Amino acid sequence: MKSSVYIESSVISYLTARPSRDVVKSARQAITIEWWQSSKVEFDVFISVLVRKEIAAGDAVAAAQRLAIVQDTFVLGISSEAERIADALITEKALPENSQEDALHIGIATSHGMDYLLTWNFKHINNAKKKLHVMQQFPVYG
């Protein structure tokens, strides 16, 4: 049985973005493309309706590319449990009040029992200090 992975929108954005001259962004793009081409097959891959909403925003051509890359990916809904987890993360100050969608990504992945949450969001979702606080609130997230 394959492990499950929830793909957050930042991964899709790096996957489809025009090549960057910024060395960090360029490295993230290369890593993302490499993972998508070689390692993705090792997982059951999921996105959510929230990811679809986020990647559909912005430039129409770029949005179409982002949506096309995940067209065959299973889409998770936003359950009341996911919303409860997101609200608790904000209430307990594991994540700041202005990061509702980031909290909801964690809630969706957690409530659906994902083995992994793949993201390039180091501000809130994969921030080492915040992750510790999140894991204290929801040990299954770690």
Side-chain angles (χ1 to χ4, degrees):
M1 186 168 148
K2 294 180 180 180
S3 295
S4 58
V5 60
Y6 175 84
I7 307 290
E8 186 265 335
S9 354
S10 63
V11 174
I12 308 304
S13 294
Y14 274 106
L15 184 62
T16 59
R18 286 180 281 160
S20 177
R21 290 183 179 180
D22 178 281
V23 68
V24 173
K25 288 180 182 178
S26 179
R28 288 179 182 173
Q29 287 173 323
I31 291 166
T32 303
I33 292 166
E34 173 65 25
W35 185 90
W36 198 264
Q37 291 174 346
S38 63
S39 298
K40 177 182 160 220
V41 296
E42 300 172 22
F43 298 90
D44 289 326
V45 178
F46 298 83
I47 62 170
S48 67
V49 294
L50 177 58
V51 170
R52 286 189 58 82
K53 176 186 162 200
E54 290 176 346
I55 66 174
D59 177 78
V61 173
Q65 290 174 325
R66 292 188 295 268
L67 289 166
I69 203 89
V70 295
Q71 71 181 351
D72 295 328
T73 305
F74 187 75
V75 180
L76 303 171
I78 302 172
S79 65
S80 58
E81 177 69 4
E83 290 175 339
R84 185 194 69 74
I85 291 168
D87 290 344
L89 290 169
I90 301 296
T91 301
E92 296 298 323
K93 301 196 184 322
L95 295 176
E97 282 187 37
N98 65 348
S99 61
Q100 293 285 341
E101 288 183 344
D102 292 344
L104 194 50
H105 284 298
I106 295 170
I108 293 166
T110 302
S111 67
H112 284 282
M114 295 289 106
D115 295 310
Y116 300 97
L117 190 167
L118 192 60
T119 183
W120 282 115
N121 179 332
F122 293 104
K123 186 170 185 181
H124 298 128
I125 298 175
N126 200 24
N127 177 295
K129 290 181 182 178
K130 294 183 188 323
K131 192 172 182 179
L132 179 61
H133 195 170
V134 169
M135 288 188 304
Q136 289 169 346
Q137 297 298 316
F138 300 95
V140 296
Y141 171 67

